[in-house]
Amino acid sequence: MGGQCSKNSVVANKRIDEKESTSNSNSIVLDESFSPDEFYDGIPRYPSLKSRSFRSITKVSEVSSRFGRASIEVLDTLGSSMTNLNSSNAFASTAPTKGNELGILAFEVANTIVKGSTLMHSLSKWNIRHLRDAVLPSQGVQNLISKDVDELMTIVEADKREELKIFLGEVVRFGNGCKDPQWHDLDRYFEKISRDLTQRKLKEDPVSMMELLMTFVKHTAELYHELQVLDRIEQQFQRRRQEEGKTAAVQKGVSIATLRTELKSKKSQVRNLKKKSLWSRSLEEVMEKLVDIVNFLLLEIHNTFSGGGIHFSKGGDESIKANNNHWRLGPAGLSLHYANVVMQIDTLVARSGSMPPNTRDSLYQNLPPSIKSALRSKLQSFHVKEEVTVTEIKDEMEKTLQWLVPMSTNTAKAHHGFGWVGEWANSGAEGNRKASASAADINQIETLHHADKDKTEAYILELLLWLHHLAKKSKAVPNSNKVKP
């Protein structure tokens, strides 16, 4: 395993290209009939128009736990200098056997470590208390999922066990890749110990172990970034050499001597990062820590919820289905689609004084077929008083938007959360990294994943009906509803 791993192990998931919505030559008026179109693929398209910024987004993790926000801060420190970190934060001082290093597999292992860190953080006492006291009683959860706290906790438990199952499965896969057979077939071991956790004692402090692993993750993430920079410098250097060989004329731009110096410096930096990161550690070293962390997480979930083991033969939604006969958006693959629709409505309401036709058209082209069908008939029977003002309509819509938009935003962030370490390092704008970091704070219960489909459609349909009248009123009185900056 280790350095011999194929490069395919770090190929990041390709982002799905966002489809640009095309506006028709004739703008679609809100009360006109709709033409059939393809079912929208659900990838959120963030409008260029800014939505209202005053609406807060519900999160579980806003306060640091004992090991802080290590699982999240790694995303904000990528590319920064790591030279000041204490060199004592390492595994054993003995270097791993040459040729048995993780090598390129380090990026995949780092991604798994972050998953474990995120789950551990979400199970902290503060987060669980905040979940019970603030998240579960929130309007969005109560209106769309359930008002029964016991049912909600059962759903949260199932989510956490599914997260653990994914993390645990990756640990098992890495174990099977070790040369040492003691790490093989860990799935049997984990299933066995999950049945009896009451008397189990941990050898080391799991929080300290996770802090240590996350230090290596930070170095590994920076290594990925610097490898990309090194590749660009090498390509530029080779092009410069070819140009120099073809002509004796003085070339503009960076000299080949400068590039050679920069290349040498970058190679040295990469070598140092490899020594400080997971790259130079052996898989067996990391496995020892990961197995202990799995033991801790099994025990923590057991103590936090109702107990029970981790079963590899069943799907993650079994316990949810057993306690819930409703059609939920997540299992139906609709949560991201519906979240996008809600965010588009919110944008139009925020800029009701100047609703661009193409933005309006995009919303209605993206509506799910069931909502489109219901909207046609509802428009005929939905009436409001003629004297109602633009402000009154927006206030009425805000009663729903104030709790539905945060759940929708959480849904989009959760779907576009961080994945491979390479994606974090290459995320580009600082804003994108922060958005990804916040995904680690979001529990599935505060997204549209578990939302009842019928209830969600009813709220969206009501918003669309009000939006129809808002558009008519805004058009009739264009100067009375301009949004203040």
Side-chain angles (χ1 to χ4, degrees):
M1 199 73 179
Q4 304 301 320
C5 178
S6 170
K7 291 186 179 181
N8 290 334
S9 62
V10 294
V11 175
N13 295 326
K14 293 182 179 178
R15 298 179 181 274
I16 302 176
D17 293 335
E18 297 180 356
K19 300 178 181 178
E20 296 183 358
S21 56
T22 55
S23 57
N24 299 330
S25 56
N26 298 322
S27 299
I28 298 179
V29 183
L30 296 178
D31 55 355
E32 286 184 353
S33 60
F34 301 99
S35 58
D37 52 61
E38 283 189 17
F39 187 80
Y40 179 56
D41 59 11
I43 303 301
R45 301 163 183 154
Y46 295 96
S48 58
L49 300 176
K50 292 184 178 180
S51 188
R52 285 158 288 180
S53 60
F54 65 84
R55 187 181 287 109
S56 62
I57 298 174
T58 305
K59 292 182 182 178
V60 168
S61 308
E62 293 292 352
V63 176
S64 298
S65 63
R66 177 179 171 187
F67 64 96
R69 299 168 62 88
S71 64
I72 300 166
E73 289 175 352
V74 60
L75 303 173
D76 291 327
T77 57
L78 293 175
S80 63
S81 175
M82 297 293 184
T83 56
N84 294 326
L85 287 175
N86 193 327
S87 60
S88 63
N89 285 339
F91 288 107
S93 57
T94 304
T97 305
K98 188 174 182 180
N100 194 34
E101 297 90 352
L102 275 171
I104 203 166
L105 187 63
F107 305 117
E108 192 172 349
V109 173
N111 183 56
T112 295
I113 291 171
V114 172
K115 289 180 183 177
S117 176
T118 301
L119 178 55
M120 182 184 288
H121 188 48
S122 72
L123 293 170
S124 68
K125 291 182 179 179
W126 188 91
N127 276 326
I128 294 299
R129 183 168 60 251
H130 181 71
L131 181 72
R132 289 180 179 273
D133 297 344
V135 176
L136 300 188
S138 65
Q139 276 187 284
V141 173
Q142 296 273 310
N143 290 339
L144 297 182
I145 302 176
S146 175
K147 299 182 185 297
D148 186 335
V149 176
D150 290 336
E151 181 183 359
L152 291 173
M153 285 303 293
T154 299
I155 293 174
V156 172
E157 178 185 0
D159 285 344
K160 295 306 171 187
R161 290 188 180 281
E162 181 63 17
E163 289 177 42
L164 175 58
K165 184 178 174 182
I166 292 171
F167 172 66
L168 186 152
E170 294 182 9
V171 172
V172 170
R173 180 164 56 85
F174 291 140
N176 289 334
C178 289
K179 293 180 180 179
D180 189 341
Q182 73 166 314
W183 304 114
H184 296 177
D185 301 319
L186 286 174
D187 51 342
R188 300 175 185 176
Y189 166 72
F190 289 140
E191 189 163 0
K192 179 181 178 181
I193 66 171
S194 69
R195 299 193 191 103
D196 183 20
L197 297 166
T198 54
Q199 303 300 321
R200 183 165 297 279
K201 294 182 180 180
L202 301 172
K203 298 177 182 179
E204 297 182 47
D205 177 19
V207 174
S208 298
M209 282 192 293
M210 184 56 78
E211 286 179 337
L212 172 60
L213 289 173
M214 288 303 295
T215 297
F216 280 92
V217 166
K218 291 178 182 181
H219 289 304
T220 305
E222 188 183 6
L223 171 63
Y224 187 99
H225 173 76
E226 296 304 327
L227 283 171
Q228 310 306 306
V229 176
L230 175 61
D231 183 60
R232 289 196 294 270
I233 296 175
E234 286 180 330
Q235 290 181 22
Q236 189 177 3
F237 178 73
Q238 292 301 328
R239 285 196 300 268
R240 203 68 166 140
R241 290 184 63 180
Q242 292 175 2
E243 291 173 358
E244 194 174 63
K246 292 179 180 179
T247 175
V250 178
Q251 300 289 337
K252 294 182 180 179
V254 183
S255 68
I256 192 168
T258 302
L259 285 173
R260 183 180 287 109
T261 301
E262 188 177 356
L263 182 59
K264 183 178 179 181
S265 174
K266 186 60 62 177
K267 284 182 177 180
S268 176
Q269 184 179 3
V270 166
R271 281 195 300 270
N272 290 333
L273 281 172
K274 284 182 177 180
K275 293 176 183 178
K276 295 192 294 183
S277 70
L278 290 168
W279 185 283
S280 296
R281 311 263 49 102
S282 72
L283 184 56
E284 283 76 10
E285 283 182 283
V286 180
M287 283 301 302
E288 186 174 357
K289 303 292 183 185
L290 291 177
V291 169
D292 284 345
I293 288 171
V294 170
N295 279 323
F296 169 76
L297 291 173
L298 282 166
L299 184 61
E300 197 73 358
I301 290 179
H302 173 86
N303 293 336
T304 303
F305 301 102
S306 60
I310 301 295
H311 303 288
F312 289 83
S313 58
K314 294 182 179 180
D317 290 327
E318 293 300 319
S319 58
I320 298 176
K321 293 176 182 177
N323 293 279
N324 206 327
N325 294 320
H326 300 289
W327 189 3
R328 302 293 175 175
L329 293 180
L334 297 172
S335 59
L336 194 57
H337 185 177
Y338 282 48
N340 183 52
V341 169
V342 171
M343 290 186 288
Q344 286 181 296
I345 293 174
D346 184 52
T347 298
L348 286 171
V349 174
R351 298 298 301 273
S352 59
S354 56
M355 290 188 188
N358 62 327
T359 306
R360 226 167 45 234
D361 295 348
S362 176
L363 167 63
Y364 284 92
Q365 289 165 5
N366 294 342
L367 289 179
S370 55
I371 294 181
K372 278 187 180 181
S373 177
L375 183 59
R376 294 190 187 99
S377 59
K378 289 288 185 179
L379 280 172
Q380 307 300 323
S381 58
F382 187 81
H383 299 288
V384 296
K385 297 179 181 178
E386 289 295 331
E387 60 271 19
V388 67
T389 65
V390 167
T391 301
E392 289 172 337
I393 293 177
K394 293 176 72 171
D395 287 345
E396 188 64 32
M397 297 182 73
E398 185 61 28
K399 293 177 183 178
T400 300
L401 290 172
Q402 66 180 349
W403 56 263
L404 186 54
V405 169
M407 289 194 75
S408 300
T409 306
N410 285 343
T411 304
K413 285 183 176 180
H415 276 78
H416 292 271
F418 55 82
W420 298 87
V421 177
E423 286 181 330
W424 314 336
N426 270 352
S427 57
E430 182 68 19
N432 290 338
R433 286 201 290 272
K434 289 182 178 179
S436 295
S438 65
D441 286 338
I442 300 170
N443 281 293
Q444 237 177 192
I445 199 73
E446 50 192 329
T447 71
L448 296 179
H449 182 86
H450 295 297
D452 182 276
K453 180 176 179 291
D454 292 338
K455 291 179 181 178
T456 308
E457 288 190 350
Y459 282 111
I460 291 177
L461 184 59
E462 183 179 15
L463 287 171
L464 290 170
L465 293 171
W466 280 113
L467 186 63
H468 162 73
H469 288 281
L470 178 63
K472 289 175 61 177
K473 184 67 66 171
S474 298
K475 187 176 181 180
V477 193
N479 296 323
S480 65
N481 49 36
K482 290 184 178 179
V483 178
K484 295 181 181 180

